[in-house]
């Protein structure tokens, strides 16, 4: 059984250069025709390449594939298989988390297309807010920057937001707003985010919700929040924590798609 380089490469879906590399490192040992200098592979090379391709298709690196292929310790090989399986499971979990975040964002936009900026009341799970206390600048010191890094590094899983605070218990006059990040409890656990003095836990339950698009205009956002607070009062609801405006999408730092969330009793 003699197989030419091109035919063997096509059969296993690899390049001729890869076969030459396998020959260079001693994995394959083709016979060379001294007249035309063609390389011919036999059944032994065919079996070796098949074993390597199986490992490579299982996402082992080339070095690991060769190491496993050359191993005579089946226990060691089984352990490497189990290690690879666990790596893949972790990757699947990561991809599933990404799918869930993309689904959440697209579901909110679908809801917005259906009801626009209608104010609604919905039940939501608890979440955590990382915030910059008493200042608009979230990186106000080195300690806070260090704490903020994992929230921003994983910004697909977390949401940037603004928190709004009031001077009085009647929620009629804003005192200031701060910048921060939001993450649900599942995400906090998945990312192993630190719980620090700058993190506020917002209990799950009833929330006033409003979806809207806007330019980068704080006055417009505060007006929507005021409308949401009026809605709460008109419907006999009491506010149990300060409002926040969660950013879902942003467009070239000019236009935003946000969700107002106000915890209520």
């Amino acid at each position: 059984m003699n197989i030419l380089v091109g035919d063997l490469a096509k059969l296993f879906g690899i390049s001729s250069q890869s076969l030459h590399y396998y020959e260079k490192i001693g994995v394959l040992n083709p016979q060379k025709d001294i007249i035309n200098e063609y390389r011919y592979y036999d059944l032994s090379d065919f079996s070796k390449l098949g074993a390597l391709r199986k490992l490579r298709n299982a996402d082992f690196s080339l070095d690991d594939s060769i190491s496993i292929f050359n191993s005579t310790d089946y226990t060691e090989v089984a352990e490497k298989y189990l290690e690879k399986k666990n790596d893949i499971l972790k990757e699947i979990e990561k991809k599933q988390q990404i799918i869930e975040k993309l689904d959440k964002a697209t579901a909110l936009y679908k809801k917005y297309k259906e009801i626009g900026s209608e104010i609604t009341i919905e039940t939501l799970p608890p979440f955590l807010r990382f915030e910059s206390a008493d200042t608009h600048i979230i990186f106000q010191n080195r300690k806070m920057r260090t704490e903020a890094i994992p929230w921003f590094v994983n910004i697909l899983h977390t949401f940037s937001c603004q928190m709004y605070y009031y001077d009085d218990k009647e929620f009629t006059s804003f005192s200031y707003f701060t910048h921060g990040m939001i993450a649900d409890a599942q995400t906090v656990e998945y990312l192993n985010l630190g719980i620090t003095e700058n993190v506020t836990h917002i209990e799950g339950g009833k929330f006033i919700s409003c979806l809207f698009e806007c330019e980068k205009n704080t006055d417009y956002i505060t007006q929507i929040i005021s409308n949401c607070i009026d809605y709460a009062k008109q419907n006999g609801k009491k506010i149990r924590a300060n409002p926040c405006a969660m950013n879902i999408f942003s467009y070239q730092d000019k236009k935003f798609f946000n969700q107002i969330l106000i915890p209520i009793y």
Side-chain angles (χ1 to χ4, degrees):
M1 179 181 181
N2 293 322
I3 309 174
L4 288 170
V5 172
D7 292 334
L8 189 62
K10 287 180 182 178
L11 189 62
F12 284 98
I14 60 177
S15 66
S16 298
Q17 287 79 7
S18 293
L19 290 179
H20 294 321
Y21 179 73
Y22 289 149
E23 178 187 352
K24 180 179 178 181
I25 62 178
V27 174
L28 301 180
N29 297 289
Q31 299 298 314
K32 293 182 181 179
D33 189 308
I34 59 175
I35 297 177
N36 58 26
E37 295 188 350
Y38 284 176
R39 289 175 171 79
Y40 293 96
Y41 296 88
D42 60 19
L43 186 59
S44 173
D45 293 314
F46 180 86
S47 298
K48 290 177 183 178
L49 188 57
L52 280 175
R53 288 308 301 164
K54 180 193 293 185
L55 293 166
R56 294 290 282 137
N57 287 345
D59 208 29
F60 284 99
S61 68
L62 178 58
D63 288 343
D64 284 344
S65 297
I66 292 171
S67 174
I68 293 171
F69 176 76
N70 289 330
S71 177
T72 57
D73 185 340
Y74 295 141
T75 299
E76 179 184 5
V77 172
E79 288 175 351
K80 287 185 178 292
Y81 273 39
L82 182 59
E83 182 181 340
K84 174 56 66 177
K85 172 192 169 182
N86 290 332
D87 288 343
I88 292 173
L89 287 174
K90 289 178 182 177
E91 188 64 25
I92 290 173
E93 181 184 10
K94 178 181 177 181
K95 297 299 184 184
Q96 186 59 45
Q97 289 285 336
I98 292 173
I99 289 171
E100 290 176 4
K101 300 308 172 187
L102 297 177
D103 281 346
K104 179 178 180 179
T106 52
L108 286 172
Y109 189 67
K110 181 180 179 181
K111 180 180 177 181
Y112 173 70
K113 297 299 287 185
E114 292 173 351
I115 68 171
S117 295
E118 178 183 337
I119 299 172
T120 61
I121 295 177
E122 55 184 304
T123 301
L124 298 173
F127 59 85
L128 281 78
R129 300 192 311 200
F130 178 87
E131 54 193 274
S132 50
D134 303 323
T135 176
H136 291 185
I137 306 171
I138 196 167
F139 304 119
Q140 55 191 304
N141 55 51
R142 180 176 294 180
K143 181 177 181 295
M144 178 164 279
R145 284 196 295 272
T146 301
E147 294 173 359
I149 285 172
W151 291 73
F152 281 86
V153 167
N154 294 288
I155 199 165
L156 172 65
H157 302 276
T158 59
F159 293 88
S160 59
C161 66
Q162 290 177 322
M163 281 74 68
Y164 291 83
Y165 297 87
Y166 289 83
D167 286 321
D168 57 82
K169 293 183 179 180
E170 296 299 319
F171 294 92
T172 57
S173 176
F174 286 108
S175 55
Y176 63 95
F177 73 90
T178 66
H179 294 292
M181 303 294 291
I182 287 179
D184 59 49
Q186 181 184 5
T187 298
V188 170
E189 181 179 358
Y190 173 68
L191 297 177
N192 194 27
L193 296 174
I195 307 301
T196 68
E197 61 184 7
N198 298 309
V199 175
T200 300
H201 182 269
I202 305 298
E203 293 288 345
K206 298 291 185 181
F207 289 80
I208 286 181
S209 171
C210 180
L211 299 164
F212 64 96
E213 293 180 270
C214 72
E215 302 293 331
K216 197 170 185 178
N217 187 328
T218 302
D219 291 338
Y220 181 69
I221 298 176
T222 55
Q223 181 57 56
I224 292 180
I225 292 176
S226 295
N227 294 343
C228 290
I229 291 173
D230 289 340
Y231 177 89
K233 293 176 180 178
Q234 292 164 9
N235 289 273
K237 305 298 181 182
K238 292 187 177 181
I239 297 171
R240 57 186 169 90
N242 285 289
C244 59
M246 180 171 65
N247 178 248
I248 310 301
F249 303 136
S250 57
Y251 312 88
Q252 299 180 356
D253 198 34
K254 294 180 180 179
K255 195 171 184 181
F256 296 83
F257 174 55
N258 286 356
Q259 181 183 28
I260 297 294
L261 291 175
I262 305 179
I264 58 173
Y265 293 111

